[in-house]
Amino acid sequence: MVKQEKESANRPDNTAFTQQRLPAWQPMLSAGIVIPGFVLIGLAFIGIGVALFVTSRGIQVLEIDYTGVEQNSPCFPCTDENRKNCVCNVTFSIDTLFEGPVFFYYGLSNYFQNYRRYGVSKDDYQLSGDLDYFKAPSDSCSPYEYDKNNKPIVPCGSVANSMFNDTFKLFQIVNGAKKQVSLDGKGIAWWTDYNIKYRNPSVTPLKTAFNGTVKPLFWSKPAYELDPSDPANNGFINQDFLVWMRRAALPNFRKLYRRITDGDYAEGLPAGNYTLEVSYNYPVLSFEGRKKVVFSNVSWMGGKNEFLGIAYLVIGSMCVFMSIVMLIVYAKFKFPEED
């Protein structure tokens, strides 16, 4: 009797939902549905692919390698590691208007930011402004946790220590004179990085928070001097620092350096001759890397990416081709039986 009562208590309610008696619909995939469906999907993909491909081809991109490996390169003298504060000038010309807004990137190749031990070599608590971790950095920062005098490094870790430090100035040559192109560095980092993930300590002046610490070994100046003229772009919320800390997934990558959106160049870079002044600091030859700058504009689909349009075209063409194959097979083996 007790056993029957327990079974009754565990039994689901006698409803259409619990007893799985709800009405159901199962599609019957006949040739009259599948073949037209493949055709429509294929045509849709082909249309999207054409739009993406044509748009991508219309995006202007200019890449300039300034590694300095070749002896005739203007940056070749700067590859000497014993030479400090080296500046080289790279000249180039633009034949037609480079429509704005123009995005200015720096690019690195053969650089594996996705390496696991490199990626975890940072202290998120320190980067969020926690002063306790200024004095005692996380073990994950090793070997860039303390300097040889056992002083804590802030910011610690391999990612921060290897921050890209080449700087650029762009000039247009007008009647033999240099006219500097204004470069806008505001808002180039992710909003979440700037407003949420990375924070400066709530200490004024900011320099006080770094007492008893040292800068990363490969940095020329401490974090509180990255942009002392603008507190909203200094320390851990410096835009260039945030861009670098957002690691790339592939070994060949580019990161946003500046935008060209102001003044006489709001509509883009006019045709003419230009000089890029490079403060050459970042070494790449030791790991057979390359450095370049990239000028590009964007469209509604983003930056130049022909692969996406080609992928849509291939998938769409395959769908149309398979619909033709299925129609031939259906006509050959099914039509006579229905007659």
Side-chain angles (χ1 to χ4, degrees):
M1 184 69 179
V2 175
K3 184 177 180 180
Q4 291 179 351
E5 290 179 355
K6 288 183 178 179
E7 289 179 353
S8 299
N10 294 330
R11 183 179 301 167
D13 296 334
N14 188 23
T15 63
F17 179 76
T18 57
Q19 297 298 333
Q20 299 184 12
R21 296 195 299 267
L22 290 173
W25 175 78
Q26 183 175 358
M28 302 300 293
L29 299 178
S30 63
I33 296 176
V34 173
I35 295 176
F38 264 69
V39 173
L40 293 175
I41 293 173
L43 294 177
F45 270 60
I46 290 174
I48 296 173
V50 170
L52 291 174
F53 186 77
V54 172
T55 302
S56 180
R57 292 297 295 267
I59 296 175
Q60 297 169 284
V61 177
L62 175 62
E63 296 186 358
I64 304 171
D65 188 301
Y66 71 97
T67 310
V69 177
E70 301 79 9
Q71 293 188 4
N72 60 351
S73 170
C75 292
F76 176 75
C78 296
T79 58
D80 184 359
E81 295 182 357
N82 297 322
R83 188 166 181 174
K84 305 298 182 182
N85 302 320
C86 185
V87 177
C88 57
N89 293 288
V90 180
T91 59
F92 63 95
S93 59
I94 298 176
D95 297 330
T96 59
L97 173 66
F98 203 105
E99 296 182 2
V102 179
F103 292 80
F104 181 6
Y105 304 85
Y106 63 85
L108 295 174
S109 62
N110 201 36
Y111 196 114
F112 292 82
Q113 273 199 317
N114 59 353
Y115 185 55
R116 188 188 65 82
R117 289 194 61 185
Y118 175 89
V120 300
S121 184
K122 62 179 181 177
D123 190 340
D124 290 325
Y125 292 103
Q126 188 185 87
L127 295 172
S128 65
D130 192 331
L131 290 175
D132 292 336
Y133 290 86
F134 277 47
K135 304 300 181 183
S138 170
D139 294 339
S140 61
C141 287
S142 181
Y144 301 105
E145 185 180 1
Y146 296 93
D147 70 351
K148 61 182 179 181
N149 297 320
N150 205 34
K151 287 189 176 183
I153 298 174
V154 180
C156 66
S158 298
V159 184
N161 185 67
S162 60
M163 179 181 169
F164 186 81
N165 59 353
D166 284 359
T167 58
F168 309 93
K169 292 180 181 179
L170 182 62
F171 300 91
Q172 182 185 11
I173 308 302
V174 181
N175 297 325
K178 287 185 176 181
K179 178 182 179 181
Q180 187 167 359
V181 179
S182 177
L183 303 177
D184 181 15
K186 296 181 179 179
I188 60 175
W190 284 31
W191 184 91
T192 51
D193 289 347
Y194 182 80
N195 293 281
I196 299 175
K197 189 174 181 179
Y198 295 86
R199 309 304 303 158
N200 282 327
S202 300
V203 176
T204 303
L206 181 61
K207 179 180 179 180
T208 308
F210 291 81
N211 289 339
T213 68
V214 295
K215 63 179 178 61
L217 303 182
F218 292 166
W219 284 27
S220 61
K221 53 188 175 182
Y224 55 83
E225 291 183 359
L226 290 179
D227 189 359
S229 63
D230 184 5
N233 189 43
N234 200 19
F236 296 158
I237 57 173
N238 175 264
Q239 294 285 329
D240 293 320
F241 177 70
L242 296 178
V243 169
W244 179 256
M245 295 299 289
R246 174 65 61 171
R247 294 182 298 120
L250 300 175
N252 300 331
F253 60 85
R254 66 185 189 186
K255 292 177 180 284
L256 185 59
Y257 180 73
R258 295 291 184 267
R259 295 189 186 94
I260 302 175
T261 57
D262 300 329
D264 297 336
Y265 304 95
E267 300 299 322
L269 295 175
N273 297 320
Y274 292 83
T275 297
L276 181 67
E277 184 180 292
V278 181
S279 295
Y280 197 106
N281 302 303
Y282 203 74
V284 295
L285 298 183
S286 59
F287 56 88
E288 298 181 355
R290 307 282 296 193
K291 298 192 291 187
K292 64 181 179 181
V293 293
V294 181
F295 297 93
S296 176
N297 46 31
V298 298
S299 67
W300 58 270
M301 60 162 286
K304 192 178 186 68
N305 183 9
E306 294 182 358
F307 172 80
L308 187 61
I310 293 174
Y312 269 91
L313 288 172
V314 170
I315 299 299
S317 300
M318 290 176 62
C319 287
V320 173
F321 175 75
M322 290 304 300
S323 67
I324 295 174
V325 172
M326 288 187 289
L327 180 61
I328 294 173
V329 172
Y330 181 73
K332 184 175 181 180
F333 295 103
K334 293 298 182 180
F335 288 163
E337 293 181 5
E338 293 184 357
D339 293 341

